[in-house]
Amino acid sequence: MQPTKELKIEHEAVIKVLQILDTISQRITEGKDISINDLETLLEVMKVFVDRCHHGKEEKILFEAMESVGIPKEGGPVGVMLYEHDNGRRYIGGMREAFEKFKYGDKEALNEFAANASGYTTLMYAHIDKENNILYPMAETYLSETAKIKLVQDFSMIQAQETGDGMYEKYFNLVEQLKANYL
Ligand SMILES: [Fe+2]
Ligand SMILES: [Fe+2]
């Protein structure tokens, strides 16, 4: 049983979101038309699926479990991950703010969207890389089999709470739809 496998599968979907954002930023730079609906969908995926669900599983479940086996939250790799989650939230907030201005007719706000999107993707590619290659292997090494079983159960609870019961798959489908349009 590898509870981090589930998180790595989510990372694959997050990476697609980042690639879509990069493509959208490129289109903004080239002055091409941008779909309001697609930006709205992306913002929902980032807020609900990436931040509340995926980062929720990490912050409320995985990092707590790691702390309980002696890996401190502050001053080490977990602290760095928490700091990066906060930065990610700031970039999502910046994208949301720019999007609202764009929605009400301010086309210049798209540049602000692209600047935040670029900060977010740079941060998140490196963040995912650190989790996949450093943090998750650390968790798999230090957590007991019993703790891992509990982790998977607790992940399902967060998932139902944050995405809505049975709605988790919807986010993977939204990412695939956007990917078909942009990648
Ligand atoms: Fe994370
Ligand atoms: Fe993650």
Side-chain angles (χ1 to χ4, degrees), residues 11 54-55 58 63 81 85 127 131 136:
H11 279 171
H54 178 77
H55 291 162
E58 291 176 342
F63 298 168
M81 297 303 107
H85 287 180
H127 180 80
E131 287 183 338
Y136 292 175

Side-chain angles (χ1 to χ4, degrees), residues 1 8-9 15 24 30 49 59 64 72 74 90 93-94 97-99 107 112 116 128 137 153 172 178:
M1 167 69 67
K8 282 188 186 168
I9 291 170
I15 286 171
I24 287 178
E30 291 165 358
F49 175 73
E59 292 184 3
E64 294 291 328
E74 283 172 26
R90 268 191 283 278
E97 224 172 273
F99 170 72
K107 290 212 164 152
E112 197 182 313
N116 279 283
I128 288 172
Q153 291 166 346
F172 284 90
L178 287 165

Side-chain angles (χ1 to χ4, degrees), residues 113-167:
F113 183 93
N116 279 283
S118 160
Y120 184 71
T121 61
T122 305
L123 171 83
M124 289 298 290
Y125 285 124
H127 180 80
I128 288 172
D129 196 54
K130 281 180 257 185
E131 287 183 338
N132 283 351
N133 296 305
I134 300 168
L135 206 86
Y136 292 175
M138 199 188 258
E140 294 294 345
T141 304
Y142 289 98
L143 296 175
S144 68
E145 281 310 306
T146 317
K148 288 178 190 174
I149 291 167
K150 173 104 175 35
L151 224 59
V152 172
Q153 291 166 346
D154 291 346
F155 283 168
S156 314
M157 195 184 67
I158 294 279
Q159 197 170 294
Q161 262 173 19
E162 299 299 350
T163 62
D165 216 6
M167 296 298 279

